[in-house]
Amino acid sequence: MSGHRDGHGFVLRDDGEPDIYLPPNEMRAVLHKDRVKARIVRHDRRNRPEGRVTEIIERSPNPIIGRLLQESGVWLVAPEDKRYGQDVLIPKGGTGTAKTGQIVVVQLTEPPALFGQPVGRVTEVLGEIDDPGMEIEIAVRKYGVPHEFSEDALALARALPDAVRPADKQQRIDLTDIALVTIDGEDARDFDDAVYCEPAKVGRGKGWRLLVAIADVSHYVETGSAIDIDAYDRATSVYFPRRVIPMLPEKLSNGLCSLNPNVERLCMVCDMLVNAKGEVHAYQFYPAVMFSQARLTYTEVAAILANTRGPEAAQRQAVVPHLLHLHEVYQALLKERGVRGAVDFETTETQIVCDEAGHIEKIMPRTRNVAHRLIEEAMLAANVCSADFISQSKHTALFRVHESPSLEKKELLRNYLKASGLGLTISDDPTPGEFQQIALATKDRPDALQIHSMLLRSMQQAIYTPMNDGHFGLAYEAYTHFTSPIRRYPDLLVHRVIKAILKKTKYQLPVLPTPGEAEAKLSKRLALRVRVPSEKPKKASADQLAWQAAGLHCSANERRADEASRDVEAWLKCKYMREHLGEEFGGVVTAATNFGIFVTLDAMYVEGLVHITELGGEYFRFDEARQELRGERTGIRYAIGTRVQVQVSRVDLDARKIDFRLVHEGEDRAGITSRAMRDKSGGSQAELSLQERGADSRPRSGAAGRYAQADSARARGASGKGGKSTKTGKAGSGHQDGGAAARSPIEALKKAVKKSAANPGRKPGKKPRR
């Protein structure tokens, strides 16, 4: 069978079957993302299929990003992405203008072999590792995020007008006298939605007229144009701290298509009548021209709604009545959301605040106020109307689909709820209301965090697809994305389809590029989620296949953007925590695995690993049903929500990993603190060299070394076998599941002899009976 080598010792199979594990000796001749054929030779004790590479089908064309080093007169590049596993040799003259220690981009000239390293040449010098924004430069290349527009796209953007022209207003509704306003965050630069609300009679009762106006990007970005090709390639804008890589050129995203205040802008409007129950009684779509009356922030609107006589309201007197009407319709929509049974879990998102040099000043939670929720409900209503409008017309388009939990996730959640003794569970075919009912019933419990976390983990990821299977989490029969065409390509496609329906024509997708690796990988994962149809499916037409390809492309690139953003945030957090090595913090357990617990610090919202070897000198059993680690001797339990005190013991910037050490009362902390402070100040030259090389590329002792191996399993979703016992001790001690600490053979022999002398009736290394 064929598949991709993923860099963690696995071949990701194309046929939807379980992935194949490759032993280290089988990985020397292949690199991360290479396409290979493999043969299963046996199953290991965990019943994982173990294989051997029989053929290398295709080498990955992606360049490698890493740090240029010189060792014993030999130039080499240590890859920043540790999944590559090997350094790249650079021949004399292949370094270009790069200097030792700089971050460079390398193109391979010779692939690796069983007895030879890969060879390459430097094609681009990114700069020094501590240069401001370097983490973003690395991420966009590491994940293949397009970050430069084509010359054709830029030329086309320059040729666009600077303002709305009289010809652009033809066959549009004039809404310039309507008090539409934008409500966004303080740091927002593009405004793609505006809202307005007024009381209206709906049927025989009270109601509201709600207008959601969205920037008409499709008027300026024609199907198949140079800008459209670049936008499709990106599929979404990518948001990093202090920088955005937009889907559209800046002239469009921040200018002509941004609903800036006090200027005319073209828009597509969803005009709705909402009754007192919060139900959309009627709606219509039409192109319009608008004039934003104000650019408001969430903080400002929340303050106005809280006190209509306050200073914020005094400055915005003209729009205060309309904001109050928006709040009224929001409360009605919220009531309908409860009747519908939509899932609504409160989660904490973090915001990284940087200074001018790009260094983190603080990490703080993003707080959602009533204004956030108000805009969210208005956008949901417009998206639902869009999906209904497209469905009623029988036109093909991309829906935003969120499927119900898989059989495996439902079973895991049921076992957890049963083990927790809550007296609550979910049915075989659960509704979103069942999840919401459990969330509401447990919100005041001490273990609410753990329960809500398990509910959230049981959910699937939403995707874009032309097959409307509804949105489970939001409890909608049909849902799509209409409200953000500046930053999401599926929204732009939805706008084009709605316009085609209004004109009584059919929108035809342009000829799209062949789906790439990310789409193929996602398609394989999605194949596992397809339900067995009750009847033989009809053969898909060419048009449907094209829409399916577009959905896969947009879904895969959405994930790519999320991964790149998380990578940059992890890098910044690691760099920030290097300044806090040796310091102690309170935190809460946010995940439990068979190799340790992940703890999020209270004050900094940074997550790190307390490896199982740092939990104490006893056996710990991972209970998969309860999602906790429990000590067999003391009965101490570490589960989601458990409060702990930890010390920052190690930070690996290259691997984006932070290690914590559990702090016990009354212990002597001088040793670990002195080691941490030595690391903080740079340590010895030997230690510094190891850090520069990327410590994950060499064997390490102690908890951090095993973390690098165990965390790869966590990244693939492995949770270990329930009921497995693991022996723990001080940092650097042995670990039963294969992570033995680095120890010389002589030391090991001495220890075995001492054990034998102390226990003459027992063979060395054999455990006493319990």
Side-chain angles (χ1 to χ4, degrees):
M1 72 291 297
S2 64
H4 285 85
R5 192 272 208 198
D6 81 337
H8 286 303
F10 291 87
V11 169
L12 306 180
R13 290 176 59 167
D14 296 332
D15 55 9
E17 293 299 317
D19 299 336
I20 304 169
Y21 172 72
L22 295 180
N25 62 313
E26 287 290 329
M27 294 165 59
R28 289 193 56 83
V30 291
L31 290 174
H32 175 49
K33 293 186 177 180
D34 282 351
R35 187 171 181 78
V36 301
K37 275 189 178 179
R39 177 168 55 88
I40 297 175
V41 293
R42 70 185 186 95
H43 286 74
D44 66 10
R45 60 183 179 180
R46 294 187 187 179
N47 202 34
R48 296 182 304 183
E50 198 170 289
R52 178 175 299 162
V53 174
T54 59
E55 182 184 348
I56 299 170
I57 301 172
E58 183 183 3
R59 295 285 187 181
S60 171
N62 295 349
I64 296 174
I65 298 92
R67 193 178 299 191
L68 182 66
L69 301 171
Q70 189 177 36
E71 293 186 356
S72 303
V74 177
W75 289 98
L76 51 88
V77 168
E80 190 276 339
D81 189 339
K82 299 308 166 192
R83 290 175 294 184
Y84 281 100
Q86 301 183 59
D87 295 336
V88 180
L89 294 175
I90 308 297
K92 188 176 181 180
T95 59
T97 59
K99 299 176 182 177
T100 305
Q102 287 186 318
I103 304 298
V104 297
V105 179
V106 173
Q107 192 66 50
L108 293 185
T109 56
E110 294 180 26
L114 282 176
F115 303 103
Q117 288 177 266
V119 180
R121 60 183 180 84
V122 174
T123 58
E124 185 181 3
V125 180
L126 300 183
E128 304 295 336
I129 187 63
D130 289 323
D131 288 349
M134 179 54 67
E135 69 281 0
I136 297 175
E137 295 297 330
I138 291 173
V140 296
R141 291 162 177 82
K142 177 178 177 180
Y143 292 95
V145 176
H147 58 286
E148 294 179 347
F149 288 103
S150 66
E151 283 300 323
D152 290 342
L154 293 174
L156 194 56
R158 285 192 294 268
L160 291 171
D162 296 321
V164 174
R165 300 165 298 191
D168 298 326
K169 301 180 187 179
Q170 293 180 8
Q171 297 182 335
R172 287 180 179 268
I173 303 296
D174 189 344
L175 296 181
T176 53
D177 59 337
I178 300 294
L180 284 154
V181 296
T182 60
I183 305 175
D184 291 274
E186 281 81 358
D187 54 351
R189 294 179 60 196
D190 54 64
F191 313 110
D192 49 15
D193 58 81
V195 290
Y196 169 80
C197 186
E198 65 183 15
K201 192 169 183 178
V202 181
R204 296 182 179 180
K206 166 187 171 183
W208 300 268
R209 182 190 180 199
L210 173 63
L211 270 66
V212 174
I214 307 298
D216 191 358
V217 176
S218 62
H219 179 82
Y220 298 105
V221 181
E222 296 182 4
T223 299
S225 67
I227 296 176
D228 189 44
I229 291 169
D230 279 17
Y232 177 78
D233 189 31
R234 298 176 179 221
T236 180
S237 296
V238 187
Y239 293 86
F240 300 110
R242 300 189 314 115
R243 182 179 168 188
V244 176
I245 297 179
M247 186 181 79
L248 301 172
E250 188 172 357
K251 184 166 184 178
L252 287 167
S253 59
N254 294 346
L256 200 54
C257 290
S258 183
L259 305 182
N260 300 325
N262 305 317
V263 291
E264 288 185 341
R265 287 289 184 259
L266 303 183
C267 59
M268 283 294 294
V269 177
C270 181
D271 194 337
M272 295 167 276
L273 285 177
V274 182
N275 64 24
K277 295 180 180 179
E279 300 166 340
V280 178
H281 179 76
Y283 65 83
Q284 61 177 329
F285 288 91
Y286 51 82
V289 57
M290 60 165 285
F291 188 91
S292 175
Q293 303 292 321
R295 180 269 199 263
L296 306 175
T297 68
Y298 294 120
T299 306
E300 188 179 8
V301 171
I304 291 171
L305 294 175
N307 182 10
T308 55
R309 296 184 179 180
E312 294 86 0
Q315 293 178 356
R316 302 288 191 179
Q317 289 182 0
V319 298
V320 168
H322 308 301
L323 293 178
L324 293 175
H325 296 320
L326 276 168
H327 188 251
E328 291 169 1
V329 77
Y330 153 69
Q331 290 177 313
L333 291 168
L334 197 62
K335 188 190 304 180
E336 195 277 332
R337 182 190 186 109
V339 172
R340 200 171 69 243
V343 175
D344 188 15
F345 300 143
E346 282 295 335
T347 57
T348 301
E349 294 184 7
T350 57
Q351 177 182 6
I352 296 176
V353 180
C354 299
D355 60 19
E356 291 299 322
H359 302 128
I360 295 181
E361 290 184 340
K362 57 183 176 180
I363 301 172
M364 54 190 290
R366 288 186 185 271
T367 53
R368 275 163 42 88
N369 58 37
V370 66
H372 288 87
R373 293 178 172 276
L374 184 155
I375 291 298
E376 179 182 307
E377 288 300 326
M379 298 305 117
L380 289 176
N383 286 337
V384 171
C385 291
S386 304
D388 184 72
F389 189 60
I390 292 168
S391 298
Q392 296 292 338
S393 72
K394 309 295 183 185
H395 200 298
T396 309
L398 290 183
F399 293 94
R400 182 67 167 176
V401 169
H402 182 233
E403 294 180 332
S404 59
S406 64
L407 289 173
E408 295 80 7
K409 290 188 174 184
K410 283 189 289 189
E411 192 61 30
L412 184 64
L413 179 60
R414 280 201 202 96
N415 291 338
Y416 167 76
L417 293 172
K418 183 179 178 180
S420 301
L422 292 174
L424 298 169
T425 189
I426 58 171
S427 62
D428 291 336
D429 189 16
T431 64
E434 293 178 41
F435 285 79
Q436 187 64 10
Q437 185 180 4
I438 295 171
L440 291 174
T442 58
K443 66 178 182 179
D444 297 324
R445 287 174 56 107
D447 57 351
L449 175 65
Q450 180 177 7
I451 296 166
H452 292 187
S453 177
M454 288 301 298
L455 291 172
L456 198 59
R457 288 184 189 183
S458 68
M459 297 289 181
Q460 303 271 37
Q461 275 189 306
I463 60 169
Y464 295 107
T465 172
M467 294 170 286
N468 177 28
D469 289 329
H471 197 292
F472 178 82
L474 294 173
Y476 288 131
E477 292 183 2
Y479 186 73
T480 192
H481 277 167
F482 164 78
T483 53
S484 297
I486 288 178
R487 61 185 180 91
R488 291 191 305 229
Y489 196 81
D491 302 53
L492 177 56
L493 289 176
V494 166
H495 276 234
R496 289 171 175 167
V497 168
I498 289 175
K499 279 187 173 182
I501 296 170
L502 292 174
K503 293 177 181 177
K504 295 181 170 47
T505 60
K506 183 178 175 68
Y507 177 69
Q508 186 67 44
L509 276 176
V511 177
L512 301 173
T514 303
E517 175 190 332
E519 291 90 326
K521 186 175 176 181
L522 178 64
S523 181
K524 171 209 162 182
R525 297 297 181 194
L526 293 178
L528 299 175
R529 289 164 48 176
V530 174
R531 303 187 189 95
V532 178
S534 56
E535 57 184 43
K536 189 175 181 180
K538 296 178 181 178
K539 188 176 181 181
S541 65
D543 185 53
Q544 287 175 320
L545 290 173
W547 280 99
Q548 286 177 20
L552 280 171
H553 173 83
C554 293
S555 300
N557 286 359
E558 178 186 42
R559 283 154 178 71
R560 177 180 69 181
D562 289 342
E563 289 172 358
S565 297
R566 282 195 295 266
D567 189 78
V568 167
E569 285 196 15
W571 194 94
L572 288 170
K573 287 180 178 180
C574 284
K575 196 169 182 182
Y576 183 55
M577 292 308 295
R578 281 201 308 190
E579 303 302 317
H580 297 279
L581 280 165
E583 296 180 26
E584 294 180 13
F585 301 94
V588 63
V589 176
T590 46
T593 71
N594 65 331
F595 55 85
I597 55 175
F598 286 86
V599 175
T600 297
L601 304 184
D602 295 332
M604 298 180 175
Y605 304 94
V606 171
E607 186 183 65
L609 176 77
V610 179
H611 196 270
I612 200 162
T613 54
E614 301 281 9
L615 293 180
E618 62 176 307
Y619 285 92
F620 274 85
R621 182 184 297 273
F622 177 62
D623 189 326
E624 188 174 27
R626 289 185 171 86
Q627 290 290 297
E628 66 180 20
L629 282 172
R630 178 182 294 193
E632 289 190 350
R633 179 170 55 83
T634 62
I636 189 170
R637 299 189 301 175
Y638 296 103
I640 300 170
T642 303
R643 298 209 59 81
V644 292
Q645 190 76 11
V646 297
Q647 187 177 46
V648 184
S649 61
R650 185 177 181 277
V651 176
D652 188 339
L653 190 63
D654 290 324
R656 317 286 197 267
K657 292 181 175 68
I658 300 169
D659 288 324
F660 296 148
R661 173 181 172 270
L662 205 62
V663 173
H664 301 281
E665 291 185 13
E667 69 177 341
D668 180 12
R669 304 167 192 172
I672 186 68
T673 302
S674 63
R675 287 196 301 273
M677 294 310 293
R678 186 172 70 245
D679 289 341
K680 184 175 179 178
S681 61
S684 66
Q685 286 300 314
E687 290 170 328
L688 187 60
S689 175
L690 258 180
Q691 290 174 1
E692 288 182 347
R693 297 271 294 113
D696 275 359
S697 62
R698 296 183 178 182
R700 287 201 303 263
S701 63
R706 289 183 292 281
Y707 173 25
Q709 301 165 9
D711 192 51
S712 68
R714 177 178 181 254
R716 301 182 67 255
S719 58
K721 298 290 181 183
K724 181 175 178 178
S725 296
T726 310
K727 186 176 181 180
T728 68
K730 295 181 181 179
S733 65
H735 185 241
Q736 190 169 300
D737 65 357
R743 189 168 63 226
S744 72
I746 297 297
E747 288 173 331
L749 182 61
K750 285 180 180 178
K751 190 168 183 178
V753 170
K754 285 181 181 180
K755 276 189 177 181
S756 180
N759 301 279
R762 188 167 58 86
K763 291 183 180 180
K766 187 176 180 181
K767 292 189 229 175
R769 290 185 179 182
R770 298 186 66 80

